[in-house]
Each structure stands twice: as C-alpha cells, then as structure tokens.
Amino acid sequence: MINQEAILSELDEIPETTYVWHSKFEDKFRHHKHIKGQLTYVEGGVIFLYANDKSYFIPGRHYLWMPAGIEHHLQHRYRAAIVRNIYFNTDSEADNPFFDHIGIYPVNNLLLEMIKFSENWNGDIYPGTKEFDFLNTLKNILPVISKHPLPIVVPTTENQRLRPVLLYIHQHLGDNLTLESVGAANGFTERTLSRIFLASLDVSFFQYLKLVRMTKAMEKLLESDLTISEIAYETGYDSISSFSNTFFKMIGQRPSAFRELKETALGGT
C-alpha cells in the first residue's frame, strides 16, 4: 500500500520538475489538488473523474488533462489498471487556455507511444535532462493534437432532496423514465422535480437522463460483451436506430466505432 500523503507531497515538492508516476490502480486517493497540471492515461479499463460538482467519464484510448489547483479524485471500476500519471509545471503556459480547463481527449498513436516511452521513469524529472526535454515536448504537443474533448459531463449535486432521485435514475436506466414516473416514485410533482433539476444541476431532467444513459452506454460498450442491441435496451432505448442516432449526436461516432476502442483500452496499440 502506497503512502498517499507522501506521493501528494512529493509531486509538488520541487515545482520546476516534471513528476512521473506509473501505478496499479489499487489505491484510491482522497479528494485532493496539486500545483502541477496532470496528464492521466489508463490502460485496462475505464475511470471516472469527480471535480467541480461534475463526474467525467474517461474511456479507453483517452487521456485526462487536469489543470493545477482543482480539487478532484478518480474512481476506477471493474478490472485492475495501469495508470500513467505525468505532472507538469505549467507556469510558462499561462497564455495557453488549453492548460486551464479539464479535458478528456483521444490519444493518437504518437501520444500513446510517448506516454509509454516514459514507463521506466518514476519520480522527479529535472530540467536539463534528456528525459525532461522529452516530457516537455509531450506537454507542448497536447494543445496541438487535442482539439476535440469528449463532450459528456454529468453534473452532480449535494442537494439532499435530489440525490435519492439521481440514484433512482441510475438504478432504473432501462425503464421508461419520465418526469411523472420518477417524481411519483420519489414524492415530487412533475413541476417541482423539473424546477429542482434546473436549480441544482443547471440541466433539465431529460438532458440529465440522456447524459447518464450515454455515459452508461459508453461504459458497457467498453466493459461488457453485450450486443449493441442489448446495451440500447439496458439504457432505456426501444430501438437500435434511436440509440445509435443519439449516441452519434452526443459522442461524435457510432456505438460500433466507439466499441473498437475496447482492444486499445486493454493496453493494445
């Protein structure tokens, strides 16, 4: 078991270094922040990021960019994974807006090979070394190759009246969920539930439902052997065409194309 406090302290101890940490995702960090920006790439599964009262789905063959100073934590599901973390000093990138925003981006072959090239390095990488120059090049190409972030972000809330409703939705995604049915199951009128959703999450009930269904669909496409038809049914769609069209509009590709990420999510190239 690693010492989480020691890792969190160590990665920021020398601000001018780049810090590299490759780990089995068997240890879970608490909600935390650091003064360096973070690139995280996961092999062997999918992970969820929790930050800014939102949850972000990070599928295989995608990386996370976490700006400095934002509190967050990661949650991995299902199988053990290799997590590749690189922490960069971004003070010199103050004029580049890319480094100021959370983003989840596809990993092309060039970036994948560069990330894997660092797998034998751990800890502080000092300026003036070939390793530092290599990683600095990696950092500098991120804004160039990362133009299209994954568009799915699911809001969360601390509203104690709404949290049981959100749990109910997650547990009944395959049902024909409506404002009326969800409200009745949780003691709300349609009007009240609609108002609470907008006030607490800044999205409508139906927008939230669609976001959760698409997140669950992406998860099942990468982490199960269910057919696309079965996934459509389990996420509340009664036709493959409706499911596929919604998926394409929100994710930018068809479910069958997204499923092709499954092999690379398991560590392939």
Side-chain angles (χ1 to χ4, degrees), residues 150-206:
L150 195 70
I152 294 292
V153 179
V154 180
T156 58
T157 181
E158 295 300 320
N159 186 315
Q160 295 304 310
R161 297 179 67 197
L162 190 55
R163 288 178 70 85
V165 178
L166 303 187
L167 179 61
Y168 179 89
I169 291 172
H170 282 262
Q171 293 175 337
H172 296 83
L173 277 183
D175 298 347
N176 180 25
L177 298 177
T178 65
L179 260 175
E180 181 181 9
S181 66
V182 174
N186 292 274
F188 292 99
T189 65
E190 293 181 56
R191 182 177 179 180
T192 299
L193 185 58
S194 178
R195 177 178 56 79
I196 293 176
F197 259 89
L198 285 172
S200 300
L201 300 177
D202 201 30
V203 298
S204 71
F205 167 83
F206 292 105

Side-chain angles (χ1 to χ4, degrees), residues 56-92:
Y56 300 74
F57 175 79
I58 309 169
R61 198 66 186 229
H62 285 70
Y63 79 90
L64 159 70
W65 175 258
M66 171 58 61
I70 296 180
E71 289 196 348
H72 64 281
H73 72 274
L74 298 172
Q75 182 183 90
H76 180 262
R77 299 184 184 178
Y78 307 114
R79 58 174 68 89
I82 301 291
V83 182
R84 306 194 184 279
N85 299 288
I86 307 175
Y87 301 87
F88 298 96
N89 183 318
T90 56
D91 289 346
S92 62

Side-chain angles (χ1 to χ4, degrees), residues 135-148:
L135 293 173
N136 197 51
T137 299
L138 189 160
K139 178 186 70 173
N140 289 337
I141 69 170
L142 294 180
V144 178
I145 65 174
S146 304
K147 300 295 187 182
H148 304 290

Side-chain angles (χ1 to χ4, degrees), residues 21 26 53 84 114 118 120 130 165 184 202 221 230 248:
W21 179 45
E26 297 168 351
D53 295 324
R84 306 194 184 279
M114 292 184 77
S118 72
N120 293 321
K130 292 181 180 179
V165 178
D202 201 30
L221 284 165
E230 289 170 331
F248 182 78

